[in-house]
């Protein structure tokens, strides 16, 4: 379903490559398990079931986990009006609208497609941002839905789920004490554990790299749609700066969902290496928005 959001071939190609590499990694992973004689069918079926649940119910799961609730136009007329205008401008179906009662200033979008999408904002970001700044944030989130990268990120997490389940299976099913080829062979459990850790690490790095690029793509698409990159830059600066004023406990509760958020919620005193970050550095995002402002000025 096409929209007026600017297409991003870089994002599309990265999503395709990430899915291909994860699929190849998954095939190798299963092949190693079969070669070791591990009866992993039950675990794989369970992981597949979890993937289906996560894929088809991702919007409801995310809202529940982040304490969000859907709101009607009567409950949040200004927010609904803003999203109505952006959806008309982007020529896309209107997603469901939700608000999370949290002082952490943030927003996220989830859902497997445009018809099943939901956009959620926190009460903290509603209190802090001006209308034009909030418009930039919502345009950013709507572009995630239009680009379908939310669904790709949901599917990409499948291999990590499988690897984690296989590790637990190896540790708790007695495989750790068994040996391949008799007493002199290598312990099967240790091999499964090692392979699972490697698979999880590779899938983790691939999804993190995709996550950082998709945030830049969403900034670009949102800024071009609204034609106000400076408003989005102002929102980014304000939200990131106010994170330092949020209690550490609240930030730690939000950190597991950073990959979905508009801006990462990082507890004070923590430094995250760029290799493991879910978002590009603030300076990189502001630099891109400044470049877009100059391009629009020349136009």
């Amino acid at each position: 379903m096409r929209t007026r959001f600017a297409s991003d071939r870089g994002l599309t190609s990265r999503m395709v490559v990430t899915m291909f590499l994860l699929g190849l990694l998954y095939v190798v992973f299963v092949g190693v398990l079969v070669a070791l004689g591990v009866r992993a069918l039950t675990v794989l079926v369970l992981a597949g079931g979890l993937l289906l649940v996560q894929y088809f119910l991702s919007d409801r799961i995310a809202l529940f986990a982040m304490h969000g609730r859907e709101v009607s136009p009567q409950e949040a007329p200004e927010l609904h009006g803003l999203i109505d205008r952006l959806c008309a401008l982007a020529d896309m179906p209107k997603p469901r609208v939700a608000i999370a009662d949290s002082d952490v200033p943030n927003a996220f979008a989830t859902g497997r497609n445009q018809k099943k999408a939901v956009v959620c904002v926190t009460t903290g970001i509603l209190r802090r941002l001006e209308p034009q700044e909030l418009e930039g944030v919502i345009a950013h989130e709507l572009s995630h839905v239009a680009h379908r990268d939310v669904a790709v990120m949901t599917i990409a997490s499948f291999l990590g789920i499988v690897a984690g389940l296989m590790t637990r299976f190896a540790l708790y099913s007695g495989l750790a004490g068994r040996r391949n080829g008799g007493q002199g062979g290598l312990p099967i459990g240790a091999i499964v554990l090692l392979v699972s850790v490697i698979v999880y690490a590779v899938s983790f790095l691939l999804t993190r790299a995709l996550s950082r690029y998709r945030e830049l793509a969403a900034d670009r698409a949102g800024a071009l749609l609204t034609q106000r990159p400076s408003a989005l830059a102002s929102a980014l600066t304000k939200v990131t700066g106010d994170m330092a004023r949020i209690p550490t406990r609240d930030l730690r509760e939000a950190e597991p969902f950073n990959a979905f958020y508009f801006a990462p919620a990082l507890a004070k005193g923590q430094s995250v290496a760029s290799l493991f970050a879910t978002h590009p550095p603030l300076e990189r995002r502001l630099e891109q928005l400044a470049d877009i402002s100059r391009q629009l000025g020349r136009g």
Side-chain angles (χ1 to χ4, degrees), residues 69-86:
R69 68 177 185 90
E70 291 186 43
V71 293
S72 65
Q74 291 73 31
E75 293 176 286
E78 293 182 359
L79 180 60
H80 270 273
L82 188 155
I83 294 177
D84 283 334
R85 291 193 299 274
L86 286 174

Side-chain angles (χ1 to χ4, degrees), residues 203-218:
S203 62
F204 178 87
L205 294 178
L206 285 173
T207 53
R208 282 296 188 270
L210 176 60
S211 177
R212 290 192 294 274
Y213 188 89
R214 81 186 189 110
E215 293 301 330
L216 288 173

Side-chain angles (χ1 to χ4, degrees), residues 249-281:
R249 184 185 63 181
D250 295 342
L251 290 176
R252 284 177 176 164
E253 289 179 358
E255 279 177 12
F257 311 108
N258 272 345
F260 294 96
Y261 279 143
F262 167 68
L266 299 175
K268 303 177 185 67
Q270 291 189 358
S271 60
V272 180
S274 59
L275 187 63
F276 305 115
T278 57
H279 291 62

Side-chain angles (χ1 to χ4, degrees), residues 8-234:
D8 194 306
R9 292 183 178 179
L11 176 62
T12 301
S13 62
R14 281 169 172 79
M15 289 192 295
V16 171
V17 170
T18 298
M19 293 303 295
F20 172 78
L21 292 177
L22 287 175
L24 182 62
L25 194 61
Y26 171 64
V27 170
V28 173
F29 180 55
V30 173
V32 171
L33 295 179
V34 172
L36 290 173
V38 177
R39 297 179 179 177
L41 179 60
T42 302
V43 178
L44 294 177
V45 169
L46 177 61
L50 289 175
L51 171 66
L52 293 176
V53 170
Q54 185 179 7
Y55 180 70
F56 287 103
L57 300 178
S58 59
D59 51 344
R60 299 184 183 278
I61 293 173
L63 281 181
F64 176 79
M66 301 179 200
H67 310 293
R69 68 177 185 90
E70 291 186 43
V71 293
S72 65
Q74 291 73 31
E75 293 176 286
E78 293 182 359
L79 180 60
H80 270 273
L82 188 155
I83 294 177
D84 283 334
R85 291 193 299 274
L86 286 174
C87 288
L89 184 62
D91 191 22
M92 66 182 293
K94 181 183 178 180
R96 306 198 309 279
V97 181
I99 294 177
D101 187 12
S102 170
D103 193 45
V104 178
N106 238 314
F108 68 91
T110 186
R112 64 182 186 272
N113 55 44
Q114 293 184 29
K115 294 182 179 180
K116 298 294 183 180
V118 58
V119 171
C120 181
V121 297
T122 65
T123 52
I125 203 170
L126 289 175
R127 286 196 298 269
R128 289 172 171 86
L129 297 188
E130 299 297 326
Q132 287 189 354
E133 295 170 335
L134 184 61
E135 179 187 65
V137 173
I138 299 297
H140 169 106
E141 297 302 331
L142 288 175
S143 75
H144 281 312
V145 177
H147 289 155
R148 300 186 295 277
D149 55 73
V150 174
V152 170
M153 288 294 292
T154 299
I155 298 172
S157 65
F158 172 54
L159 196 57
I161 293 173
V162 174
L165 286 173
M166 284 307 305
T167 302
R168 290 176 176 84
F169 179 73
L171 292 176
Y172 296 114
S173 66
L175 283 177
R178 300 182 192 174
R179 293 183 175 273
N180 188 13
Q183 293 299 321
L186 293 173
I188 295 177
I191 298 175
V192 172
L193 179 60
L194 177 62
V195 173
S196 298
V197 169
I198 293 173
V199 167
Y200 179 80
V202 174
S203 62
F204 178 87
L205 294 178
L206 285 173
T207 53
R208 282 296 188 270
L210 176 60
S211 177
R212 290 192 294 274
Y213 188 89
R214 81 186 189 110
E215 293 301 330
L216 288 173
D219 284 346
R220 175 178 175 274
L224 290 175
L225 182 75
T226 62
Q227 296 288 290
R228 283 194 282 260
S230 60
L232 181 56
S234 176

